[in-house]
Amino acid sequence: MPAHSTELFARACRLIPGGVNSPVRAFRGLGREPFFVERAAGAHIWDVDGNKYIDYVGTWGPAILGHAPAVVIEAVRDAAGRGVSFGIPNPLEVEMAELICGWVPSIEKVRMVNSGTEATMSCVRLARGFTGRDKIIKFEGCYHGHVDSLLVHAGSGALTHGQPDSAGVPEAFAGLTIALPFNNIEAVRKTFRANPGEIAAIILEPIPANAGLYFPRPGFLAALREECTRDGALLIFDEVMTGFRVARGGAQEVYGVRPDLTALGKVIGGGLPVGAFGGRAEIMDQLSPLGPVYQAGTLSGNPLAMAAGLAQLRELERIDGWKTLETLGAQLEQATRDAIGETKTPAVFHRIGSMFCLFFTDGPVTDLAGARRSNLEKFARFFSHCLEAGVYFAPSQFETGFISTAHRPDEIEETARVVREALAQLSR
Ligand SMILES: *Cc1c(COP(=O)(O)O)cnc(C)c1O
């Protein structure tokens, strides 16, 4: 007899801390236990207890074509038949580099890694090596993976589980990271004035999506660009989530701002463990073996991962997936706004393309402080209602939802019905 989620979770908790291999998967903040997935296809996941859900987590972003798209599965099968790892250059790495540099004009040279964390970590080291400076500016609520110097006022699971400043990060590292409120250009200017010629880089999610989802004010990203250029600091866009998702060329294409370095991940790997970082050739050429900044990876540019990523990205372009995602996103937005209005729920709905977030606050939400005004108890009840009705949203107020091209209009409609019902229950 197949194991059930409750039994698997009990077994997992004995051997895996918290029963999960990444804290965002725990439902602790909601007073629940996670379910275990048996399989996933298209817009749906099935748990080991036989429940079926419409999925809006999409493996936290990578599944932009939905789960197990045929083109990706075939590409992985085909690549696996020729060997799963070489540790020697393979042609797919070159194809991937050509695709990335072709789609994201600020990226003149690129290197592949195995996760978003590795990508941001490498960007920070490279920025320090290139500028010869140590200090980094980040923004409160932005999450850049579990990099020591970036786990300061961090978002995502670190925020959800109450550890935005992680234990185990030496004060000497954290002290080099200056965390500022997002959308506050005056705070950035003041920091540059107080630390002239000492800031190596500003790193940010151009569209912050790890403390819920909110947006840069008009001109904010351009002003960051200006400040960095003036001081000789580098501008790093962490597009691990937004890259290839909000547009073919990411958030930098949407906002028309050119960073010096970009971190990529999630969608780029088609569900396999992949990240990448790239930018100006002059900076990238500081990497070993050309330059003095060391960075490496046994499995980087892995043929399976490259095959999966290339297949997913090419399919996305072939079907003009971004157009489909915008249409589906607009449908969900309209229906959710109607439901908020009908039920008179104090809530704010944010969306860009296929990324969305429903904050249980009157708003506005333009930074972490705004996001934190959300009513977490209401979120927990909303989440549970939706889950029990077969709709799986991210298990935290401080995460973003994702639509895939495999979501059909009738599934969005069904989702909207469940959302309306959940909001109606909250107002009772
Ligand atoms: C997910 C994420 C990361 C970390 O990527 P991992 O692959 O989980 O290491 C970094 N930055 C942003 C913006 C992310 O959303």
Side-chain angles (χ1 to χ4, degrees):
M1 193 177 130
H4 295 288
S5 284
T6 41
E7 186 213 321
L8 282 164
F9 191 59
R11 277 164 59 196
C13 283
R14 267 176 242 133
L15 301 172
I16 305 173
V20 290
N21 280 313
S22 186
V24 294
R25 297 176 201 169
F27 287 20
R28 283 170 75 96
L30 305 161
R32 302 179 66 107
E33 292 184 355
F35 58 88
F36 282 67
V37 175
E38 202 234 344
R39 69 189 178 93
H44 293 103
I45 46 181
W46 286 261
D47 70 15
V48 293
D49 297 283
N51 301 303
K52 178 183 177 184
Y53 306 95
I54 305 175
D55 177 28
Y56 289 95
V57 178
T59 185
W60 300 94
I64 198 164
L65 298 175
H67 291 286
V71 285
V72 173
I73 302 303
E74 270 161 40
V76 172
R77 272 210 190 101
D78 185 53
R82 283 176 275 125
V84 296
S85 175
F86 312 128
I88 302 169
N90 73 78
L92 298 174
E93 297 172 76
V94 185
E95 288 179 38
M96 180 61 99
E98 286 167 350
L99 184 149
I100 295 169
C101 295
W103 286 16
V104 188
S106 75
I107 302 184
E108 296 168 354
K109 287 198 175 181
V110 64
R111 201 168 254 182
M112 302 309 300
V113 291
N114 306 288
S115 69
T117 294
E118 265 189 74
T120 58
M121 176 185 78
S122 304
C123 282
V124 167
R125 183 182 308 135
L126 182 55
R128 285 173 165 157
F130 179 77
T131 59
R133 304 171 176 186
D134 290 339
K135 292 181 186 167
I136 298 288
I137 293 177
K138 80 174 287 283
F139 293 98
E140 294 162 357
C142 282
Y143 177 69
H144 303 295
H146 59 104
V147 178
D148 274 346
S149 55
L150 298 174
L151 280 177
V152 178
H153 292 276
S156 190
L159 177 59
T160 300
H161 300 298
Q163 295 108 16
D165 303 291
S166 175
V169 175
E171 181 51 45
F173 295 4
L176 294 173
T177 305
I178 302 167
L180 302 176
F182 196 79
N183 269 326
N184 186 337
I185 192 65
E186 249 335 290
V188 174
R189 292 197 175 118
K190 216 171 119 191
T191 304
F192 271 116
R193 280 197 299 272
N195 303 271
E198 292 179 11
I199 309 288
I202 298 181
I203 184 167
L204 73 153
E205 300 178 66
I207 302 170
N210 278 289
L213 173 70
Y214 43 86
F215 305 106
R217 286 208 182 96
F220 180 65
L221 299 178
L224 294 179
R225 175 66 278 176
E226 213 171 280
E227 291 304 315
C228 282
T229 304
R230 197 153 50 91
D231 188 80
L234 300 188
L235 183 62
I236 305 171
F237 276 7
D238 177 353
E239 296 226 44
V240 170
M241 199 184 279
T242 51
F244 313 113
R245 166 135 328 245
V246 295
R248 200 182 77 145
Q252 52 196 276
E253 178 184 307
V254 173
Y255 289 98
V257 173
R258 197 179 169 103
D260 299 295
L261 292 174
T262 299
L264 295 166
K266 296 193 169 126
V267 170
I268 204 177
L272 272 78
V274 185
F277 68 102
R280 279 164 49 198
E282 152 196 39
I283 304 171
M284 292 300 289
D285 285 345
Q286 294 301 306
L287 288 173
S288 183
L290 294 181
V293 178
Y294 199 71
Q295 186 279 331
T298 301
L299 296 175
S300 295
N302 174 269
L304 261 57
M306 295 303 96
L310 282 167
Q312 169 148 290
L313 294 170
R314 286 171 177 158
E315 178 68 0
L316 202 51
E317 185 175 54
R318 191 188 69 77
I319 65 172
D320 195 3
W322 299 283
K323 209 168 135 199
T324 309
L325 293 171
E326 174 57 32
T327 305
L328 294 168
Q331 187 193 345
L332 183 66
E333 173 169 355
Q334 190 56 53
T336 307
R337 287 190 189 284
D338 290 348
I340 291 171
E342 279 166 35
T343 56
K344 299 189 172 63
T345 308
V348 178
F349 188 77
H350 281 179
R351 178 184 74 88
I352 178 164
S354 56
M355 296 168 66
F356 64 89
C357 178
L358 176 62
F359 286 110
F360 286 92
T361 169
D362 279 330
V365 180
T366 59
D367 57 14
L368 176 63
R372 292 199 83 135
R373 280 193 284 274
S374 301
N375 184 324
L376 300 186
E377 188 262 332
K378 270 193 186 166
F379 172 82
R381 279 162 58 205
F382 172 81
F383 170 86
S384 289
H385 180 95
C386 293
L387 187 71
E388 276 147 32
V391 174
Y392 179 49
F393 291 121
S396 166
Q397 173 72 86
F398 303 118
E399 299 287 358
T400 291
F402 300 101
I403 299 169
S404 79
T405 57
H407 285 74
R408 291 194 320 256
D410 58 316
E411 285 150 1
I412 303 276
E413 206 177 292
E414 164 65 6
T415 303
R417 188 189 64 74
V418 169
V419 166
R420 184 174 297 112
E421 209 176 76
L423 294 181
Q425 286 220 340
L426 283 185
S427 64
R428 255 176 233 148

